[in-house]
Amino acid sequence: MKEHDFEADKALAKEFIANFTDANGRSKYLEILQEVANRKVRAVQIDLQDLINDKGFDAFHEFIGRLTENTRRYVSIFSSAIDELLPEPTEAFPDDDHDILMTQRAEDGTDNADVSDPRQQIPSEIKRFYEVYFKAPSKGRPSTIREVKASHIGQLVRIAGIVTRCSDVKPLMAVAVYTCEDCGHEIYQEVTSRVFMPLFKCPSSRCRLNSKSGNPILQLRASKFLKFQEAKMQELAEHVPKGHIPRSMTVHLRGELTRKVAPGDVVEFSGIFLPIPYTGFKALRAGLVADTYLEATAVTHFKKKYEEYEFQKDEEEQIARLAEDGDIYNKLSRSLAPEIYGHEDIKKALLLLLVGAPHRQLKDGMKIRGDVHICLMGDPGVAKSQLLKHIINVAPRGVYTTGKGSSGVGLTAAVMRDQVTNEMVLEGGALVLADMGICAIDEFDKMDESDRTAIHEVMEQQTVSIAKAGITTSLNARTAVLAAANPAWGRYDLRRTPAENINLPPALLSRFDLLWLILDRADMDSDLELAKHVLHVHQTHESPALGFEPLEPNILRAYISAARRLSPYVPAELEEYIATAYSSIRQEEAKSNTPHSYTTVRTLLSILRISAALARLRFSESVAQSDVDEALRLMQMSKISLYADDRQKAGLDAISDTYSIIRDEAARSNKTHVSYANALNWISRKGYSEAQLKECLEEYAALNVWQIDPNTFDIRFI
């Protein structure tokens, strides 16, 4: 095999960096180098897709092949090419310790250095204040952990997976610098692996002439350190063959790539697949076996966090167009799980769960949560779990667990012994992993009572407090909880009271902003529609036409991330309105023999949260009365299936009930004149439609109970 000419490759690398222009005609890499020279950035990322797209060179085809098969060597080739191309800084910046040391070394170097000894020449690594990373070409699908085998060692690979754990960021020595006590020379030792042997003898010619061994002293201040983090990556569930358990791989992150990933993130790593020999006692046990790891060179997140979302130009225009659409609230909610039939109001509630309300922090440090918690309680087969799964897919950060499969510590945090350091460490559970995201808990009713109490603190204080094994701490869990449960006897039993059916403690129920009861009723028309919908989905693998194009999950995420940047406030004129609405709900509950819900002051906060989420969807800075009305309507609709029952028992049809609602409200406010808007507001809170109101107005006007204004439809009692 002929010796390859790396100098020629270095010339190619220089040519590429100097001459490459992007689609807009800008010198992409020269601009990055200017930023590096001005100390604005510390990382130079070379995208191999640019090398492939560069039309100027046919020689690049072989060059890319060599680069992907011997990546570690080409990092140093590109680094030395960049050293030669680095421009002069155009902006002034203050000198740090590194610059002062380098100036001093340059002055001293000429007198002291022994040119023949490589250890006394300043290594180029210590002069650099940037790192070079390669990003693998984005064409084709990324490999799974199983597909990366021995033949890939030393090559650049792309692997997709989920991050299961991350170590703290620690300093890793890149160049060790010693000073000899006897001769005063500075000696450099480049460190390429995780372990190195310190120097015990001075290699300088002066010490050799004096026949002294010298005593090199390690100078930590003058040495070069890199940020280093170790992460564990696991295969995605869909890549695991049947009957196997997921494999995992160690990933080493250096320099600017540290702190880019957190446990629970689904990411794609570009990196160099390398072997690492065992050290210490493990080496005695392992013998000739070596471990492998991935030296990461680029990280891509599949789902960006809301805060980190950067909008492309076309996305901004699309969001602006959507925001001007008057029916955006319905469009967004119907785009959630369009394959699932019906459940319009539930989808609206789940959309508000994704949007959330702003967190409030008072001057004295007290926090009021902004996350909306929802519990779906319903009969079997009403697509509760499917809705949960879909929401987790749409949310940028979501964790799905089931009641029986989760213990108390599995949800909060467990104390474990770290394999590397042998210390007791905390491992976050599902609720901690879902911090700033959504935690979906299925089969909520099957959880043990002791495990369910772990959720109480998370739902209101949004922290997880731990006092175990000498570790006393409090972890953040700013999570929106979405729970799904069956009623106490599997199906809802209409002969028993709602409290007996729901069978969850009041302390937990009051923490849910919305408890949605979904009853599976036999109804000829709706069952027929449902069956047609399901058959259509089975035949065509897509939902029936909605009358508009459902929004893609990535557009939904972009819209929600734009909405979440707003922090709407409640104007003073709405305070009285909200207070009256809350007190009337309490009064109704006090009069009822079997109350359907458990109303506390938390309910009032829920109304404010849901209203703020609705205002965010409209991109409004303040909450409007329509938002409060919609919040109250959603709270009423969550129990609508029960109210329908009560009315049947009371023998009231819809028209009579509509009349009694308007009559009672008018009597309470002591009015004989009621505006149409107010009447519509009152009855929609109870779950009736505008068509039923109009029918009621006509019927009772014919009986001369009230008069209707022909233009405005206002009501005047006779």
Side-chain angles (χ1 to χ4, degrees):
M1 188 178 167
K2 67 177 175 44
E3 184 67 33
H4 188 71
D5 182 8
F6 286 115
E7 280 302 315
D9 280 351
K10 183 175 160 185
L12 272 175
K14 274 178 75 172
E15 201 170 340
F16 166 71
I17 292 166
N19 299 335
F20 177 76
T21 53
D22 60 10
N24 303 328
R26 288 162 56 195
S27 301
K28 177 179 170 182
Y29 292 109
L30 288 180
E31 284 181 16
I32 294 174
L33 293 193
Q34 189 61 63
E35 294 271 285
V36 169
N38 294 341
R39 305 289 170 93
K40 294 263 180 76
V41 279
R42 286 169 167 268
V44 180
Q45 191 177 71
I46 309 280
D47 195 341
L48 294 199
Q49 196 64 46
D50 293 341
L51 267 169
I52 294 168
N53 296 346
D54 199 342
K55 300 285 187 293
F57 294 117
D58 295 330
F60 273 169
H61 189 67
E62 289 175 16
F63 179 61
I64 292 166
R66 293 196 296 274
L67 192 153
T68 48
E69 284 176 11
N70 188 6
T71 316
R72 197 72 176 270
R73 180 70 182 263
Y74 278 82
V75 169
S76 59
I77 288 172
F78 266 83
S79 300
S80 53
I82 288 170
D83 282 342
E84 293 173 22
L85 286 172
L86 204 62
E88 289 297 313
T90 53
E91 295 173 23
F93 53 84
D95 281 1
D96 57 6
D97 295 359
H98 178 259
D99 297 312
I100 296 162
L101 274 167
M102 286 315 299
T103 318
Q104 201 174 333
R105 281 170 183 153
E107 288 167 2
D108 297 354
T110 47
D111 323 329
N112 287 352
D114 180 357
V115 185
S116 61
D117 187 6
R119 286 188 188 165
Q120 284 180 261
Q121 292 174 354
I122 300 179
S124 53
E125 178 62 37
I126 207 165
K127 296 179 191 169
R128 291 182 192 131
F129 41 84
Y130 62 87
E131 288 126 31
V132 176
Y133 301 115
F134 288 126
K135 187 177 181 195
S138 49
K139 289 222 172 98
R141 68 170 186 82
S143 314
T144 64
I145 293 177
R146 276 166 207 275
E147 290 167 353
V148 179
K149 297 190 168 66
S151 56
H152 292 91
I153 288 216
Q155 296 186 10
L156 190 68
V157 289
R158 264 168 73 218
I159 305 180
I162 183 166
V163 179
T164 51
R165 59 181 298 175
C166 286
S167 70
D168 294 336
V169 178
K170 294 192 167 69
L172 176 78
M173 191 172 271
V175 180
V177 179
Y178 302 88
T179 318
C180 176
E181 266 189 332
D182 296 336
C183 65
H185 274 152
E186 202 170 37
I187 305 145
Y188 305 97
Q189 179 186 15
E190 285 200 60
V191 180
T192 50
S193 63
R194 289 285 294 276
V195 287
F196 75 103
M197 193 65 175
L199 294 178
F200 297 112
K201 267 182 158 178
C202 174
S204 74
S205 52
R206 190 181 296 180
C207 278
R208 279 205 303 275
L209 276 172
N210 298 342
S211 8
K212 284 189 173 181
S213 60
N215 184 18
I217 293 170
L218 185 63
Q219 299 288 341
L220 289 179
R221 186 81 184 272
S223 302
K224 181 178 179 180
F225 290 91
L226 285 175
K227 290 182 282 188
F228 176 80
Q229 187 177 24
E230 191 173 79
K232 260 278 196 294
M233 176 174 65
Q234 190 176 297
E235 269 182 308
L236 293 170
E238 57 262 30
H239 297 156
V240 183
K242 54 178 181 256
H244 290 245
I245 58 167
R247 286 193 188 171
S248 57
M249 180 186 277
T250 309
V251 181
H252 291 180
L253 301 147
R254 290 167 192 247
E256 297 303 296
L257 290 178
T258 52
R259 298 192 178 94
K260 283 274 176 77
V261 294
D265 289 356
V266 180
V267 292
E268 182 188 291
F269 286 110
S270 295
I272 314 165
F273 185 56
L274 293 169
I276 184 168
Y278 286 107
T279 54
F281 286 113
K282 276 190 181 173
L284 299 175
R285 272 209 303 246
L288 301 174
V289 180
D291 199 4
T292 53
Y293 72 100
L294 187 76
E295 178 82 64
T297 57
V299 179
T300 313
H301 285 261
F302 280 113
K303 291 182 189 170
K304 281 205 169 65
K305 290 181 192 163
Y306 289 134
E307 303 83 57
E308 294 169 3
Y309 212 97
E310 291 165 2
F311 299 109
Q312 269 77 40
K313 193 84 183 99
D314 54 338
E315 277 185 336
E316 278 184 10
E317 288 168 11
Q318 199 167 351
I319 288 167
R321 270 206 313 278
L322 285 170
E324 287 163 14
D325 187 343
D327 198 28
I328 185 61
Y329 175 45
N330 288 322
K331 273 192 181 172
L332 287 171
S333 62
R334 289 176 67 191
S335 299
L336 285 177
E339 307 79 40
I340 296 172
Y341 172 76
H343 293 334
E344 275 93 5
D345 285 323
I346 297 169
K347 288 179 186 177
K348 283 178 181 173
L350 294 177
L351 173 68
L352 298 179
L353 172 105
L354 285 167
V355 174
H359 290 272
R360 304 260 185 243
Q361 185 153 5
L362 308 184
K363 285 177 184 166
D364 60 353
M366 184 176 147
K367 290 176 185 163
I368 300 171
R369 73 173 161 96
D371 292 315
V372 179
H373 301 315
I374 294 179
C375 180
L376 305 176
M377 165 89 60
D379 293 337
V382 289
K384 296 189 298 295
S385 300
Q386 289 287 42
L387 280 169
L388 259 66
K389 276 272 201 281
H390 187 84
I391 291 295
I392 292 301
N393 285 341
V394 171
R397 193 175 184 84
V399 176
Y400 179 88
T401 65
T402 60
K404 265 294 178 214
S406 334
S407 61
V409 289
L411 284 170
T412 53
V415 177
M416 299 176 72
R417 194 173 288 282
D418 188 21
Q419 295 172 353
V420 183
T421 58
N422 218 16
E423 292 173 356
M424 297 301 262
V425 289
L426 273 182
E427 189 111 328
L431 290 164
V432 179
L433 285 182
D435 185 30
M436 302 302 279
I438 291 171
C439 182
I441 306 172
D442 208 351
E443 309 290 352
F444 195 57
D445 53 315
K446 318 279 190 306
M447 278 177 82
D448 295 335
E449 196 56 49
S450 56
D451 298 338
R452 215 184 289 148
T453 48
I455 303 172
H456 286 224
E457 184 197 357
V458 172
M459 286 178 73
E460 210 53 61
Q461 274 70 46
Q462 303 226 299
T463 55
V464 172
S465 300
I466 297 282
K468 311 176 180 176
I471 297 174
T472 310
T473 184
S474 182
L475 306 171
N476 278 331
R478 291 152 296 186
T479 310
V481 175
L482 173 58
N486 291 116
W489 289 274
R491 281 196 69 155
Y492 196 92
D493 188 348
L494 293 168
R495 290 161 301 188
R496 299 177 193 266
T497 61
E500 287 176 321
N501 272 297
I502 291 167
N503 196 29
L504 290 174
L508 192 58
L509 279 185
S510 66
R511 284 173 160 82
F512 282 111
D513 295 278
L514 289 169
L515 171 75
W516 215 283
L517 282 167
I518 318 167
L519 270 59
D520 186 13
R521 291 282 172 69
D523 180 327
M524 183 75 182
D525 298 336
S526 61
D527 288 350
L528 202 61
E529 286 295 315
L530 171 67
K532 281 181 184 169
H533 182 101
V534 172
L535 290 168
H536 184 279
V537 171
H538 265 263
Q539 285 168 345
T540 60
H541 299 289
E542 58 178 22
S543 62
L546 295 172
F548 67 94
E549 187 68 33
L551 302 173
E552 293 290 318
N554 56 348
I555 298 292
L556 260 170
R557 270 198 291 277
Y559 188 92
I560 290 168
S561 67
R564 283 176 73 104
R565 288 170 191 183
L566 295 168
S567 185
Y569 67 95
V570 179
E573 58 265 22
L574 274 182
E575 287 175 10
E576 182 68 31
Y577 184 74
I578 296 171
T580 316
Y582 167 67
S583 59
S584 65
I585 294 173
R586 290 274 290 188
Q587 285 302 312
E588 275 179 35
E589 193 176 290
K591 286 178 194 165
S592 168
N593 298 329
T594 55
H596 297 131
S597 54
Y598 186 69
T599 309
T600 61
V601 182
R602 283 183 179 148
T603 315
L604 177 60
L605 289 172
S606 302
I607 295 169
L608 293 173
R609 268 192 287 272
I610 296 168
S611 310
L614 284 157
R616 271 179 161 184
L617 273 179
R618 293 186 296 109
F619 288 119
S620 166
E621 287 292 345
S622 66
V623 174
Q625 186 173 332
S626 59
D627 298 331
V628 180
D629 290 338
E630 175 63 14
L632 292 167
R633 189 189 73 82
L634 283 173
M635 288 192 153
Q636 195 68 28
M637 290 302 288
S638 62
K639 311 284 189 323
I640 188 65
S641 42
L642 291 186
Y643 290 118
D645 265 11
D646 290 356
R647 291 190 199 110
Q648 281 173 2
K649 284 180 190 165
L652 285 177
D653 63 316
I655 305 299
S656 314
D657 202 22
T658 309
Y659 167 68
S660 59
I661 291 166
I662 296 170
R663 185 195 58 204
D664 295 347
E665 290 286 348
R668 184 184 298 165
S669 52
N670 211 359
K671 286 180 185 169
T672 54
H673 183 271
V674 178
S675 73
Y676 179 75
N678 278 351
L680 183 58
N681 189 357
W682 293 335
I683 66 131
S684 64
R685 274 198 223 162
K686 303 287 185 196
Y688 288 120
S689 65
E690 191 172 359
Q692 287 168 320
L693 172 63
K694 286 191 172 166
E695 199 178 331
C696 172
L697 294 184
E698 286 170 15
E699 198 168 306
Y700 279 86
L703 296 170
N704 278 341
V705 175
W706 53 41
Q707 289 175 337
I708 309 296
D709 186 302
N711 300 323
T712 59
F713 294 116
D714 289 352
I715 305 161
R716 184 182 290 282
F717 282 89
I718 298 172

